[in-house]
Amino acid sequence: SQQGEEDPQALSIQEGENATMNCSYKTSINNLQWYRQNSGRGLVHLILIRSNEREKHSGRLRVTLDTSKKSSSLLITASRAADTASYFCATDFGNTGKLIFGQGTTLQVKP
Amino acid sequence: GAVVSQHPSWVICKSGTSVKIECRSLDFQATTMFWYRQFPKQSLMLMATSNEGSKATYEQGVEKDKFLINHASLTLSTLTVTSAHPEDSSFYICSYKGFSSSYNSPLHFGNGTRLTVT
């Protein structure tokens, strides 16, 4: 089964509002990454948080990691219509470098 | 950032034929690459991992004789779907880990190939 589970599955908000997505995983990890996917396209890396980090920021993105709860959250502040996409968390564990993806959250930002 | 070129972006083929998908890293050397497939409105499922010059390691449930992976060089990897069937219709995405990347580094993805088998 998938390493990561995300919620909500779908999120619809108005432009300017904040969007929060959550991710849970099952095993110990090296890091957790968040990716964005526009419809029918490949994935774009957003942010990586290492297992010894608790919070990380990048522009309007804020990621938290709680290894005791095996969970992470992605916060997008002041959302824009262009943020409309699917967002996936992915966990990197073991020593192969492969990523296991969560189910994803589809975000719609209405102008 | 690293650029990965995947070709073709979409392909339609008849059942029973084979389709080759190419994935090239344009500005860096990639020792390890991963092939994923994605069904509509679903997540990415890892199919296989390969290292340049070695045989690919397939995930459980993925038929290695059906999905042939060739990691011929540090800049080119191919996935061939052999004897395609309609259930193979999916979105296939390649990704690379860079030459000097540690495990704490992101993957670089191609734009994917939409395969439709009729």
Side-chain angles (χ1 to χ4, degrees), chain B residues 44-97:
Chain B
L44 282 76
M45 298 294 294
L46 179 65
M47 299 176 66
T49 303
S50 74
N51 292 299
E52 185 264 340
S54 303
K55 289 186 177 180
T57 301
Y58 290 81
E59 296 297 307
Q60 190 173 10
V62 179
E63 299 176 58
K64 62 180 181 181
D65 294 330
K66 182 170 186 59
F67 299 100
L68 301 180
I69 292 171
N70 187 319
H71 194 161
S73 73
L74 290 172
T75 59
L76 173 64
S77 177
T78 61
L79 167 67
T80 301
V81 183
T82 62
S83 187
H85 290 123
E87 56 265 32
D88 298 325
S89 297
S90 188
F91 191 58
Y92 293 88
I93 313 175
C94 66
S95 63
Y96 281 107
K97 184 173 281 289

Side-chain angles (χ1 to χ4, degrees), chain A residues 2 30-31 33 35 37 40-43 45 48 50 88 92 96-104, chain B residues 32 34 36 38 42-46 49 59 91 93 97 103-107 109-112 114:
Chain A
Q2 286 292 94
N30 298 318
N31 62 68
Q33 303 177 32
Y35 288 81
Q37 183 182 33
R41 304 284 288 178
L43 275 73
H45 176 257
L48 179 153
R50 300 185 182 197
F88 294 92
D92 182 338
T96 63
K98 63 183 180 183
L99 294 184
I100 304 300
F101 284 82
Q103 294 300 311
Chain B
T32 304
F34 308 94
Y36 290 86
Q38 184 180 33
Q42 293 190 25
S43 186
L44 282 76
M45 298 294 294
L46 179 65
T49 303
E59 296 297 307
F91 191 58
I93 313 175
K97 184 173 281 289
Y103 56 74
N104 276 318
S105 60
L107 295 183
F109 284 84
N111 276 327
R114 173 73 59 194

